[in-house]
Structures are given as C-alpha cells and as structure tokens.
Amino acid sequence: MDTIFALATAQDRAGVAVVRVSGPAAHSVGMQMCGTLPKVGSFAVRPVSSDGDLIDRGLVLTFAAPHSFTGEDVIELHLHGSIAIIDRVLDTLSAFDGVRLAEPGEFTRRALENGKMDLAQVEGLADLIDAETEFQRAQAMQTVEGALSKVVEDWRARLINAASLLEVTIDFADEDVPVDVAPEVSALLESVMSQASDEISRSYVSERVRTGFEVAIVGLPNAGKSTLLNALAGRDAAITSEFAGTTRDVIEVRMDLDGLPVTFLDTAGLRESDDQVETIGIERAIARAKTADLRVFLSENVSDLPLDPLPQDIVVAPKADLRTDGTGVSGVTGAGLNALVQEVKAVFADRATHSGLTSRARHRTSLQSAVTAMKDASRLVNQGPEVYDLAAEELRTAIRSLEFLVGRIDVENLLDEIFSSFCLGK
Amino acid sequence: MKHFDVLVIGGGHAGAEAAHAAARMGARTALVTMTLSGIGVMSCNPAIGGLGKGHLVREIDAMDGVMGKVADKAGIQFRLLNRRKGPAVQGPRAQADRAIYQREMLAATQAQDNLTIVEGEVVDLKMSGQKVTGVELADGTLLHSTTVVLTTGTFLRGIIHIGEEKHSGGRMGDKASVKLAERIDSFGLPLGRLKTGTPPRLDTRTINWSVLEEQQGDDEPAFFSFETTKLAAKQVACGITHTNERTHEIISKNLARSAMYGGHIDGTGPRYCPSIEDKVVRFADKTSHQVFLEPESLTGHTVYPNGISTSLPVDVQEDYIHSIVGLETAKILQPGYAIEYDYIDPRALDASLQLRATTHLFLAGQINGTTGYEEAAAQGLVAGINAACLAQGREPVQFSRANSYIGVMIDDLTTRGVTEPYRMFTSRAEFRLSLRADNADQRLTPTAMDLGMVSVQRRALFDSKRDALEVGYQALSREAYTPKHISRAGIAVKEDGTRRTPYQLLAFPDVQFKDVVRVQPDLSAIDRPIQIQLARDALYANYIDRQQKDIDRIKKDEAHVIPTGFTYAGISGLSNELSAKLESARPDNLAQAARVEGMTPAALALLLAKLRQHQKKSA
Ligand SMILES: Cc1cc2nc3c(=O)[nH]c(=O)nc-3n(C[C@H](O)[C@H](O)[C@H](O)COP(=O)(O)OP(=O)(O)OC[C@H]3O[C@@H](n4cnc5c(N)ncnc54)[C@H](O)[C@@H]3O)c2cc1C
C-alpha cells in the first residue's frame, strides 16, 4: 500500500498551509524530515528539512491508525503558507520510496475503505466541503445525517408492500387469498408517486441551493447594469465605461444573501447591432438570461427589450441618480440598491422553502425512472390480473431505482461517481 | 471391492435425480436405498409441480432428468395454474398416481446405464482426513466412492407427533439411522430444526362424493417433459369441500392436545403451508377453509384431503373430519401427523452443493432445509452433476439466478440459508419474465448437451425446435408494416407513422398470434407450439431487454471473487452482526454478498473496497 500526501489547504499564498501524509510510511517519512515526531495524538513544533537543509519550522501533528481521518498512520505538517516552502516540501516527500502524491479524493476513499465513513457521509461531505453559505451547509448536513435515505426507505417499504400484494395473487393463485388487490396497490402507488414527483420538483430548488441561484441583470446598452453589479459586489467586477456595449461577455458576481448563494450576471446590453462580436454577445446574453432563475430588468420600458419579464421578475428604472421622482436604482449613488437586494432575497427565500432532500442530477434521474415505472405499474394494475406479472416487473424496476438512489446496488459505479466529485487532498 | 465415482444415499426425489444425473454424465454410480420400494416414494401429497415448482420440473427435464417424464406417466389430473395470467407465471401441476409414480421411477432407475441400485442402510461414512471416501452398510459391507451425495430427507433426529404421542422416525414407517447421524454430528455443521405436517388420509369409499363440487383437469394438458406428447394414465376429477364453524370449534377446543400447540414441537413450520390448527388460530375471522379431496391413485382407495394437515390426536381428527360436508362418515386410513427434524444449514455448502469443510460430500434435498419433491429433485440434479464433475476431474457446473429457478434456489440456500422450510415461488426469481416454464429447454438444454448428459432423441428434438424458433423469429421480424396495413388486419394501433413488425405487435398484451397472421398470412405456416413460444418471447421482449442490464450488473459483481480465506472479522466499519453473517454465509463473490440478509449499501461498498485492496496487495 502506497503512502500518499497532498496539500490539504488551498493552493495559494496563505498564513498557514497544511500538508497531510497518510499510509504505512507516514511516520518514518515524518521522522526523516523532522527528526523526531511528537507523541501520537499530540503536536509540537519541529524543523522540517530535506537532506539536512532546513526548509521551514512547522507545527507537526501525529496520528496513529486507526485513529485518524483515513484510519491509517497520518502526519500533518502545518507550514508557513509560502509557495516556495510548499513546493519544496512536496518535492521532498515525493522522493521517498513508496510515497506519492494522492489522487483526487484518495484520502476520503481511504477513509471509506477503512470504515471511517459511510457512503452517505461521503456524498454529503463533498457538498459540505463546497458549502459557502448557511443554506448550503444546512442542506449538505441533512444528507450527511441520512435524511434522504430515511425517506427513500419509507417509499421503498410501501412499494415492497404493493409488490407483495401482487405476488400473493400470483404465487398463491390456488389458495384462499384476496383476489382484488388493485385498489390497495393503486393507493400505495399513488402515495409514493405523488411524494416522489414532489421531491423531483423540489430537487431543482435544492440543486440551486447547492450551486447558487442566478440573477441576470438585463437592459438596454448603457442602462447602468455593470455599474449596478459593481455596486452590488462592492468591487470592480465588470468593466464599466461610458461607451455603450462595453460588456460583451457575461460577467458573474457570487454573493451570499443571508445564507442564500446568489450569482448576479451582468449581461451585454440588448439592442440591434451591426458589430458581429457584439451581436454574438447579445444572443448569448438573451440565452443566459432565460436560463437564469430570476431577471432584473433595468429599464424604463420593457417593451424596448427583446425579452419579456416572467411573473416573479423584477423591473426597475435605471439611473435613479438622474431622476427626480425618487424611484429606480442607481449603482452610482447606491439609491434603491438595498430595496432591490431585499426584493431578490425575498424571491429566493420563498423558493428555498420549497427545497427538498435531493440536489443532484443523479438523484433526480433515479427518482424520475422510479416514477415512470410506478406510472406504468399503476396503468397495468388497472388493466387486471392478466398483466400482474408485468405490473410486478415495473414495481421491481421502481424499487431498484430507489435502491440505486441510496446506493444499495451497483456500488462500483456509485463509488467512482462519488469520488470523481472530490478534488485533490480533501 | 466395488469402487464408484458417485454414491448416492437415499432413493427419494433428491437421491433418484442425483443418481440419474451422475449416471447420464457417464460416472459409475451407486444408489443406496433401504428398499427397492423406497425409490420414488411421495411422503406427502401425491402432486407434482405448481407455481415455481412446475418451473423446477421443466428445468430438470431440460437437462434430460427423470422427474418430469415419470410425472407425465403418473399424471391423473393436469392443471396449468395461473392459466389466465401471464405465461411467465403459469405453472404446470399434476395430481400423480402414487403407485404409478413409484413403479415408473423404479423402472427408469433400473434401466439407466452406469447406475447400480444397492439395497441397504448406510450406517457410516468412510473418511480420509477431511475427505469422504465411501460408506458402510448395516450388514458391514463397505462401498468405496470418489464422491458421496447424501439425500436422506428428514432422517436427522426426525420425531413424529400425533397429538401427545411421539416416536422417532424419518416418516411414517421409516427408522432413523443413529450412527450415520452421529457421524454427521461429528462434522460440527450448523444445524437448525424445522417441522412439517401432513393430513389424515381418507378412504374414498366412505366419502359422499355426490354432494361435493367437482374439479376437472384441463382439456389440453400441459405436460412436464418437453418430450411428452400424450396422456398415459386415466384422468380423474378432484372434489372440493369446506371446513365450517363446527369444525373450527372442535379444533379450538382441542388446541392444547395438538402437538404443535401443546408446546411439544420446537421446529419452525412453513408460513405458507399452515396446519388447520394454525389456520383456525391465525385467521379466526374466517369461518370456512377450502379442502381439496385428491385421489392418491387410480387403483387404491386413499384420498388426500389437501388443506387440513394436523398434529391433533386421532380421536379429534375423526371428530373434525366428520364435521365436514361429504366426510360425515369418512374413514381415516392413516392419521395426520407432524414431523420435526434437523436440517443442515445450507450456508455450509458451496454452489455445487458440496460441503465446504468436508470435501467430496454433497448434500441435496430436505436435509438442506427445503420442502417439496421438486425442490429436492432439482438439488439432486445439481449435486449429481457436480459430484460427477468432481469425480471426472471436470470443472463444477454453476447454475445462476439469471438462467434458472434452480440457480435462484441454490443461491438462496447457500447465501441466505433458511428460516422456514424453503419452497420455490415465482416471486423469488427476479428474472421471472425470462425464466419461463416454456423456455426451460432454451435456457438449459445446451448446457446439458455440453455436459454430454442428454439422449440422442432429446438432442434431435432440441435442435429442430431451436431451428424452428429461429426460422419463425426471422419470419416475424422480416418486414415492418404501416399502421394503416395493420389496422386493416384488425389490430388497433396508433396512427403514429411507426412501422411495426409482427414480432413487435405481439408485444401488445392483447395481440394474439392469429391476429398477426392476418397482417402477414405466410406466418400460418409456423407450427402451433412454435407460434406459442414465439408469442411469449415477443410479449416480454421489451422487459427482457431491460432485465439484461441487471443481469450484466450481477455478472460484474459476480466477477469480484471473494478469496476463500478472506476474513470479515476485524474489518472496521462492519458491524459484528454483519461480519458474523458474512463469515457463516461465505459468499463466493460480491453479488452473493449483496444478497446476504442485512447487507447495507455502505457495508457493500466497504467490502468492495477491501476486495480491491486485497487484489492490489496480492498483485
Ligand atoms: C410428513 C411430511 C409431510 C410433508 N408435507 C409436504 C407438503 O405438504 N408439501 C410439500 O411440498 N412437501 C412436503 N413434504 C416434503 C417432501 O416430501 C420432501 O421435501 C421431499 O420428499 C424430500 O425429498 P428428499 O429426497 O430430500 O427426501 P425423501 O424423499 O424423504 O427421501 C429420503 C430417502 O432416504 C432414505 N434414507 C434415509 N436414511 C437412509 C440411510 N441411512 N441409508 C439409506 N437410505 C436412507 C429414506 O428411506 C428415503 O427413501 C413433506 C414431508 C414429510 C415427511
């Protein structure tokens, strides 16, 4: 078994950088670089050197199997966060025999292999690590705690109940058994189907919570969209200039609105243009604005624009600083900015209350195929006992899809899929 | 001294099929039975087949086994169960004449090449280390054999109960071999205790048939063997009667005197085949239960009242029988009784039914915790084939869940064990739609031909059927027709512009073969049996494609072989309970591990990860 190492903190200049080493050679490597190691389960400052050449002086932590994140022998080197120091330490580590840079997700994989975490925790962990806002953290934590598995278990139990009713009429045809099980089976199917369908629509919201809601700012060229975005971001994110048509690409600013992850998109001004490059930008802007979760129309008159606002979209007059009626919003003076943010937040806070337990396309695909199978089963059950064998097969498919959702079968694919969403060193 | 390749102990359903299979494989085979008349005895209801069980008989027949052929000769009433449901869940069943069955089974056994029948009681196994090398008979005779197949049914500590009375015995009239049991005990195998019961037998001349409802067999009998074409025995009807409140009252009042309810029996009985005591207690709100009166033979006078097995004392049995319409003066020829017995936890066996710890010894039948003739015979087939393979230095033959009910049963037994007498159901087979009774030959005969265990006629029959199916399939798929053409032929289809072949049309549950003949008249040239089979294949075609994905998935998991010495204890993250279960189930691969009771996704992932680590280490 190889010993692996990686930088556990972000790859950049920082106050502290943590390098983690895990595997059978971790302790001996540590001793060769630091002289002696602190007692297992404790930490101490040690010189970190390469062939007698002092690289840095760092805090060293020693863990022994199985009491570590990976369940293996582990050392952690807390170094000064300089790029030169990190490079030198990583180089030194890779020179040891049987020691190599970790593959993406390999630490977590080892933690799983050694029984330190289970599959659900692993999946939730990926989201937890990526969580930037409070809502995201809460949602990921829910998965780690197994809320999804519980609901799916309950559905599965009801479907198994429905399947057993059908099977009774098949396998005990010659005996005194209830003949008309259709009403009970249909009722069970209905109940699971409606809840699962509901979860599918909620999962789109959850996915937004996980990846962020998008707000597109649209308007005529030079309506002040970029200035507004800059004001929102508090820094110069989009290039703004006096000349109309400056923003040719889509520019994003990611924000945390009281725990909700929201990305504002500054789009090219929408107008007829002869400039080919600008025309492409405009087409892209329209397409992007359409897929966004919400649009803020910075416009006096929306009929000037090649895009219609949807029910929850916000229409606000631009350049409030040049107006006298006290309405509108201005990126220059900040007038109306707070009200706009509150409005956006209100829209998403309302939507977020409809979030569900699933937030990944993988989950949705499984749910969708379960629902499709349940629909077919339900249709067949109503056709009568002659096709109960087919109905039972559809039910089996539905149950299998749910099992796939919580990872009961096809472990191998699942593992690979889950681990592919991890990045190095975590 | 005689030396055999395969020696089978016991001439019941498991033993007979095992001996025949080994002999067909060319192994020098011995069948040791207490008496010649013990071969092919039906200890309980003289009926073969049924739901799931009928599938097993067809599969045995597809391997050229004996049960189906003998049952067809002995059948006195054939009924295809679930006739009005999908073909995948239809099961052939026959009421068999007990005497004909026994006679024909004995004749077939005596006629089989490579097969020697030895009359005697096996009292001990001969061993060389952990390996079985032969047997010793009660008269001191030693028989050497490379492999031994043990199919002794309920002989391990079998106790018969009639009310408060009890005595030891394999079944009524048999004695249990003590020394052999002690030898088995010395292997330290995990044992469990089960029970089963049988109803009192009645004299047909004392039943008032004239007041009873009659149940006739099917007009067009569905046979077990692919080779059978016509009825052999005279056909009879069964009678139907019902228990009533008076019957239930008699039973309730005497519950304390029932062996099962009086606390005399510890074994677990089957939930699906309850005694009449059980029915009265558990379904107290039902005031009546159906009783089928099934003649046991054309020549004798015995009637088997199906549905009222019991362990009440004889006087109570008489009382409650007489309370039933038509049975007011019925005479009991043999009282009903319950039997409890030890079985060997089948998780001690590998997929070839060989004991893991004691090699060259195979176990089949009721001794493995199953119930039923068909289950026993199917295991006999597997054990017989594999014992022959071992003796002949061939690779073991594995039946899989994806190719047969036999595979489903072997896998269930050896990975999950049993908690009640194991009986086959169609719902145990997840690939039920492709594992049909009608295509058992397509699924298994090629394997049997490869093993060289089928007759020349069987091979010819199979080849011509396979060719006819292929030609028929081509004819059905040759041309796709427009919706307009199809509607003109009288089949309602969507006018969606999609062209469909006759084969695709047959996938609609309401389209029959005669309907597609109107679409393409030359299809009428296909023989009727081939038409029926093709229509069934077509009906399920869409589902079978889908199931193929699951089959592939299982195959992938099956490829993750768990090495023999693999230890589960000490894998951190596996609960003690689960690692103990895995330790005793000893799954051969990841697919089997997934089916061990209580297995969770997390545990399975953990196991896979460990296996990969293991592979890396040993690579
Ligand atoms: C009382 C009773 C009721 C049952 N009820 C039902 C039911 O309702 N439904 C159902 O499906 N199934 C029922 N069964 C089960 C069914 O009969 C068995 O599962 C099936 O017959 C088992 O086949 P087998 O070959 O394993 O054993 P058996 O058919 O019992 O054959 C065992 C053979 O081994 C022989 N033998 C034993 N010891 C020795 C020895 N030392 N040397 C040589 N020969 C030996 C015996 O004489 C016997 O011939 C019942 C069984 C019993 C006993």
Side-chain angles (χ1 to χ4, degrees):
Chain A
M1 169 84 51
D2 285 349
T3 295
I4 53 171
F5 65 87
L7 181 65
T9 44
Q11 209 132 18
D12 210 344
R13 274 182 53 188
V16 180
V18 177
V19 172
R20 194 187 262 160
V21 186
S22 175
H27 288 179
S28 76
V29 164
M31 280 189 288
Q32 289 176 65
M33 288 179 72
C34 310
T36 60
L37 286 178
K39 265 202 339 255
V40 167
S42 70
F43 55 88
V45 177
R46 288 282 184 276
V48 179
S49 42
S50 171
D51 277 336
D53 185 8
L54 184 66
I55 307 172
D56 189 13
R57 202 173 281 279
L59 190 67
V60 179
L61 284 69
T62 314
F63 304 87
H67 304 291
S68 69
F69 173 69
T70 55
E72 302 173 329
D73 283 350
V74 166
I75 60 160
E76 274 183 22
L77 307 173
H78 293 217
L79 305 160
H80 292 104
S82 122
I83 293 168
I85 292 176
I86 296 166
D87 282 354
R88 186 70 195 281
V89 168
L90 296 185
D91 276 355
T92 310
L93 281 168
S94 56
F96 286 103
D97 264 359
V99 180
R100 61 169 170 79
L101 189 66
E103 288 160 18
E106 200 171 359
F107 283 93
T108 316
R109 186 181 273 252
R110 288 190 178 190
L112 180 96
E113 287 176 354
N114 293 313
K116 302 299 283 187
M117 268 201 260
D118 75 17
L119 215 58
Q121 288 173 305
V122 166
E123 203 169 28
L125 185 71
D127 290 341
L128 201 56
I129 289 170
D130 288 338
E132 290 175 347
T133 75
E134 177 57 17
F135 271 78
Q136 289 175 323
R137 186 203 56 75
Q139 184 169 292
M141 209 50 210
Q142 213 178 24
T143 316
V144 177
E145 297 285 299
L148 172 63
S149 318
K150 232 198 244 148
V151 170
V152 171
E153 260 326 306
D154 171 54
W155 293 340
R156 184 171 166 271
R158 270 184 273 167
L159 292 185
I160 287 176
N161 185 196
S164 70
L165 287 168
L166 289 181
E167 297 296 356
V168 160
T169 68
I170 291 173
D171 269 332
F172 297 91
D174 230 19
E175 289 163 46
D176 292 343
V177 290
V179 257
D180 193 12
V181 296
E184 204 177 340
V185 173
S186 298
L188 284 163
L189 279 171
E190 274 323 310
S191 74
V192 179
M193 242 187 308
S194 78
Q195 289 181 15
S197 306
D198 186 47
E199 181 56 41
I200 291 174
S201 40
R202 284 172 179 272
S203 90
Y204 287 101
V205 181
S206 304
E207 185 164 25
R208 279 292 170 263
V209 170
R210 187 165 67 81
T211 60
F213 290 99
E214 282 184 352
V215 183
I217 305 174
V218 294
L220 289 170
N222 222 1
K225 300 183 296 296
S226 303
T227 317
L228 176 64
L229 186 77
N230 290 345
L232 283 168
R235 64 184 163 109
D236 275 22
I239 327 127
T240 47
S241 79
E242 293 296 314
F243 303 104
T246 318
T247 310
R248 288 195 171 144
D249 242 317
V250 178
I251 290 175
E252 309 185 356
V253 171
R254 213 171 152 75
M255 300 176 66
D256 177 349
L257 295 187
D258 278 354
L260 287 166
V262 178
T263 302
F264 285 91
L265 311 172
D266 180 15
T267 59
L270 308 178
R271 66 162 177 192
E272 296 289 320
S273 169
D274 298 333
D275 181 338
Q276 244 189 2
V277 181
E278 194 186 348
T279 310
I280 293 172
I282 290 170
E283 277 166 12
R284 204 179 299 172
I286 294 178
R288 191 64 196 276
K290 280 187 178 156
T291 59
D293 300 292
L294 186 74
R295 283 143 296 276
V296 171
F297 285 76
L298 212 51
S299 170
E300 292 279 4
N301 186 355
V302 286
S303 57
D304 295 346
L305 298 171
L307 189 69
D308 293 325
L310 294 173
Q312 280 191 316
D313 287 353
I314 299 166
V315 181
V316 60
K319 304 195 175 167
D321 46 317
L322 304 180
R323 301 170 68 92
T324 49
D325 60 0
T327 63
V329 63
S330 165
V332 179
T333 61
L337 206 60
N338 231 342
L340 177 64
V341 169
Q342 289 307 325
E343 206 173 336
V344 169
K345 206 169 70 187
V347 170
F348 290 139
D350 178 53
R351 285 193 202 172
T353 60
H354 300 290
S355 72
L357 299 167
T358 53
S359 61
R360 286 165 182 274
R362 177 179 86 76
H363 297 161
R364 214 157 34 228
T365 313
S366 297
L367 277 178
Q368 195 59 61
S369 63
V371 169
T372 308
M374 282 186 263
K375 277 197 184 127
D376 287 336
S378 168
R379 178 177 51 77
L380 288 161
V381 164
N382 288 323
Q383 268 178 44
E386 310 78 54
V387 288
Y388 278 4
D389 55 338
L390 301 181
E393 181 57 28
E394 294 293 356
L395 264 175
R396 244 182 241 264
T397 304
I399 292 167
R400 264 196 306 261
S401 304
L402 291 183
E403 290 176 339
F404 184 65
L405 181 63
V406 292
R408 191 178 294 266
I409 48 168
D410 218 7
V411 256
E412 192 166 19
N413 293 352
L414 197 72
L415 279 184
D416 292 343
E417 181 166 334
I418 289 169
F419 286 115
S420 68
S421 72
F422 274 84
C423 63
L424 188 79
K426 280 172 187 160
Chain B
M1 181 175 315
K2 280 260 184 182
H3 189 110
F4 296 100
D5 296 325
V6 177
L7 183 145
V8 180
I9 310 175
H13 303 277
E17 209 63 58
H20 276 271
R24 285 202 305 284
M25 301 247 317
R28 283 165 300 164
T29 307
L31 175 63
V32 184
T33 175
M34 303 255 201
T35 59
L36 277 186
S37 61
I39 293 178
V41 169
M42 304 210 211
S43 42
C44 195
N45 185 9
I48 301 277
L51 297 165
K53 291 163 166 275
H55 286 75
L56 286 174
V57 183
R58 280 284 174 90
E59 290 179 359
I60 293 168
D61 186 70
M63 310 280 299
D64 216 5
V66 273
M67 177 172 254
K69 284 182 266 193
V70 171
D72 282 341
K73 286 186 180 144
I76 52 177
Q77 187 194 67
F78 288 87
R79 279 196 310 129
L80 183 63
L81 303 187
N82 273 342
R83 187 176 275 283
R84 275 193 290 281
K85 297 208 180 79
V89 296
Q90 292 174 359
R93 178 192 192 271
Q95 192 63 38
D97 181 304
R98 185 190 288 285
I100 301 179
Y101 193 92
Q102 242 170 293
R103 188 182 74 216
E104 292 294 339
M105 186 57 88
L106 178 60
T109 308
Q110 284 167 330
Q112 175 66 45
D113 289 343
N114 305 324
L115 179 53
T116 311
I117 302 175
V118 179
E119 272 193 289
E121 180 191 353
V122 171
V123 293
D124 200 7
L125 297 174
K126 293 287 129 196
M127 309 284 300
S128 155
Q130 293 304 315
K131 183 172 144 183
V132 171
T133 56
V135 302
E136 183 187 329
L137 303 185
D139 65 3
T141 311
L142 290 185
L143 298 173
H144 281 260
S145 182
T146 312
T147 61
V148 171
V149 183
L150 187 69
T151 71
T152 46
T154 52
F155 91 111
L156 274 177
R157 274 173 288 277
I159 297 181
I160 287 175
H161 297 260
I162 306 175
E164 294 104 338
E165 276 173 55
K166 62 175 173 183
H167 49 94
S168 71
R171 60 191 159 202
M172 274 318 229
D174 274 1
K175 54 184 173 175
S177 339
V178 177
K179 200 160 160 204
L180 183 58
E182 280 168 3
R183 168 67 74 179
I184 304 280
D185 282 344
S186 78
F187 296 152
L189 298 169
L191 300 174
R193 198 144 178 86
L194 294 172
K195 69 173 183 205
T196 186
T198 188
R201 306 301 204 275
L202 309 176
D203 188 332
T204 185
R205 295 164 297 189
T206 60
I207 295 175
N208 184 5
W209 293 98
S210 60
V211 299
L212 297 176
E213 195 185 321
E214 230 185 37
Q215 186 185 43
Q216 295 288 350
D218 292 342
D219 296 334
E220 202 180 323
F223 295 113
F224 292 109
S225 175
F226 289 94
E227 289 185 316
T228 307
T229 52
K230 56 178 195 297
L231 285 170
K234 195 182 122 205
Q235 301 298 291
V236 300
C238 295
I240 299 179
T241 182
H242 297 89
T243 61
N244 52 45
E245 292 183 26
R246 170 98 191 92
T247 321
H248 295 193
E249 199 187 306
I250 296 170
I251 291 163
S252 305
K253 244 188 7 225
N254 288 288
L255 275 182
R257 299 180 63 202
S258 155
M260 294 192 228
Y261 277 87
H264 305 289
I265 296 186
D266 317 317
T268 314
R271 279 170 304 177
Y272 43 80
C273 185
S275 63
I276 187 67
E277 292 96 301
D278 257 331
K279 289 186 187 176
V280 168
V281 172
R282 279 177 26 207
F283 308 102
D285 50 331
K286 276 198 86 168
T287 52
S288 168
H289 297 279
Q290 220 169 34
V291 184
F292 290 93
L293 298 173
E294 302 170 339
E296 289 201 355
S297 78
L298 297 172
T299 44
H301 305 299
T302 314
V303 166
Y304 182 98
N306 197 348
I308 47 171
S309 82
T310 184
S311 61
L312 283 161
V314 181
D315 59 310
V316 184
Q317 295 188 25
E318 266 167 3
D319 275 2
Y320 86 69
I321 288 288
H322 293 158
S323 73
I324 298 173
V325 174
L327 306 182
E328 292 85 353
T329 57
K331 187 169 158 240
I332 293 181
L333 294 175
Q334 184 201 75
Y337 61 90
I339 176 165
E340 58 173 341
Y341 53 94
D342 279 357
Y343 71 96
I344 291 165
D345 183 342
R347 287 175 293 186
L349 304 166
D350 66 18
S352 71
L353 297 184
Q354 183 177 203
L355 272 175
R356 289 178 211 274
T358 310
T359 72
H360 297 69
L361 181 58
F362 295 74
L363 263 47
Q366 197 155 11
I367 193 168
N368 290 339
T370 64
T371 179
Y373 313 130
E374 306 81 356
E375 288 82 354
Q379 289 172 68
L381 179 84
V382 173
I385 290 175
N386 280 295
C389 283
L390 183 60
Q392 296 169 336
R394 300 202 239 174
E395 283 296 302
V397 177
Q398 288 240 356
F399 292 79
S400 125
R401 300 186 78 88
N403 79 6
S404 58
Y405 275 69
I406 298 179
V408 170
M409 175 173 66
I410 301 293
D411 187 61
D412 282 349
L413 291 175
T414 58
T415 66
R416 290 198 218 180
V418 302
T419 49
E420 64 185 325
Y422 180 96
R423 180 192 138 175
M424 187 41 81
F425 296 111
T426 71
S427 50
R428 293 195 196 271
E430 60 271 55
F431 304 121
R432 174 166 74 185
L433 300 184
S434 29
L435 307 185
R436 302 192 308 272
D438 63 80
N439 68 7
D441 53 344
Q442 308 300 307
R443 295 184 276 116
L444 295 176
T445 306
T447 309
M449 295 197 312
D450 289 347
L451 289 169
M453 61 186 298
V454 304
S455 68
V456 183
Q457 309 89 279
R458 171 77 62 162
R459 183 184 283 270
L461 184 73
F462 178 77
D463 284 343
S464 74
K465 183 173 169 193
R466 185 178 48 194
D467 294 348
L469 284 171
E470 184 52 35
V471 171
Y473 176 73
Q474 294 302 340
L476 282 167
S477 323
R478 195 179 58 219
E479 205 172 327
Y481 298 91
T482 60
K484 195 177 271 162
H485 181 105
I486 294 166
S487 320
R488 244 185 287 134
I491 300 174
V493 281
K494 264 198 226 120
E495 295 280 346
D496 55 2
T498 318
R499 286 170 164 265
R500 291 185 174 84
T501 62
Y503 195 74
Q504 285 165 335
L505 288 174
L506 284 170
F508 297 116
D510 47 353
V511 175
Q512 314 277 318
F513 203 93
K514 63 178 180 351
D515 302 322
V516 298
V517 170
R518 287 195 305 270
V519 175
Q520 185 180 312
D522 71 348
L523 292 174
S524 65
I526 299 173
D527 279 348
R528 200 168 132 66
I530 301 295
Q531 287 185 3
I532 294 172
Q533 166 107 55
L534 285 168
R536 290 176 173 178
D537 287 338
L539 175 64
Y540 293 121
N542 298 333
Y543 290 90
I544 289 168
D545 285 350
R546 220 159 70 182
Q547 287 194 337
Q548 192 56 43
K549 288 204 197 91
D550 293 310
I551 293 177
D552 293 344
R553 199 141 58 193
I554 288 197
K555 291 212 174 115
K556 212 170 78 189
D557 279 353
E558 277 172 352
H560 285 286
V561 174
I562 302 176
T564 346
F566 193 80
T567 45
Y568 297 93
I571 296 185
S572 53
L574 266 194
S575 70
N576 287 341
E577 190 193 344
L578 199 53
S579 72
K581 274 188 183 154
L582 286 163
E583 207 60 74
S584 76
R586 299 238 126 258
D588 292 333
N589 55 51
L590 201 66
Q592 288 185 358
R595 292 188 292 270
V596 168
E597 214 182 284
M599 199 68 189
T600 64
L604 204 58
L606 190 58
L607 199 56
L608 172 62
K610 281 285 164 203
L611 284 176
R612 283 180 173 176
Q613 265 182 21
H614 204 89
Q615 276 161 6
K616 266 190 234 153
K617 252 186 245 164
S618 51

